[in-house]
Amino acid sequence: MQKKRARPLPSLSVRIDLDAKGRIGPGKIQLLENIHACGSISAAGRAMDMSYKRAWDLVDEINRICRHAAVERQTGGKNGGGAILTPFGVSLVARYRKIERAAANAVRKDLVALRTDIGHPKKS
């Protein structure tokens, strides 16, 4: 007898509007995490199928809206430098992920109910 596989819960996505023009969401946080892991803005952008210019524009936007640098460019070296997260950048990622976990935990029962209410997807 085959066990019924539990369907995954609908996911919750958190976007924090800091003001009318500045927001931090999952894409920017993922970019910061990729910069931290890759040590490079271009490699982080490539990991997300994003151009270097787009990645740099997002980093610039993060630094501007937060009024603190989240990413610091490194120059020189045999590979031409790279980028690292500043202590503020590390803190920003950690705080965002903490908010995201708290929000998901707060609505877990509602997500379970939503999954139940929606039922199984219709077959084409």
Side-chain angles (χ1 to χ4, degrees), residues 52-94:
Y52 173 79
K53 180 179 180 348
R54 177 70 178 142
W56 179 249
D57 286 346
L58 288 173
V59 166
D60 191 44
E61 184 178 338
I62 293 165
N63 290 341
R64 180 185 50 77
I65 63 177
C66 292
R67 295 182 193 93
H68 298 283
V71 176
E72 188 174 275
R73 289 182 9 180
Q74 308 272 284
T75 56
K78 75 175 188 175
N79 295 323
I84 60 168
L85 293 190
T86 64
F88 171 77
V90 171
S91 173
L92 176 64
V93 169

Side-chain angles (χ1 to χ4, degrees), residues 16-120:
I16 301 169
D17 296 327
L18 301 169
D19 60 32
K21 294 183 181 182
R23 60 191 52 90
I24 298 290
K28 288 176 183 161
I29 294 299
Q30 183 65 58
L31 179 62
L32 292 177
E33 289 172 331
N34 286 352
I35 291 168
H36 187 64
C38 298
S40 152
I41 294 171
S42 60
R46 279 193 305 274
M48 298 175 74
D49 293 324
M50 179 186 303
S51 71
Y52 173 79
K53 180 179 180 348
R54 177 70 178 142
W56 179 249
D57 286 346
L58 288 173
V59 166
D60 191 44
E61 184 178 338
I62 293 165
N63 290 341
R64 180 185 50 77
I65 63 177
C66 292
R67 295 182 193 93
H68 298 283
V71 176
E72 188 174 275
R73 289 182 9 180
Q74 308 272 284
T75 56
K78 75 175 188 175
N79 295 323
I84 60 168
L85 293 190
T86 64
F88 171 77
V90 171
S91 173
L92 176 64
V93 169
R95 181 164 289 145
Y96 176 87
R97 291 301 185 198
K98 183 178 179 184
I99 291 167
E100 185 179 57
R101 281 189 306 276
N105 287 334
V107 300
R108 184 166 177 27
K109 287 180 185 176
D110 291 313
L111 291 175
V112 169
L114 180 61
R115 178 184 62 191
T116 301
D117 291 347
I118 290 172
H120 294 285

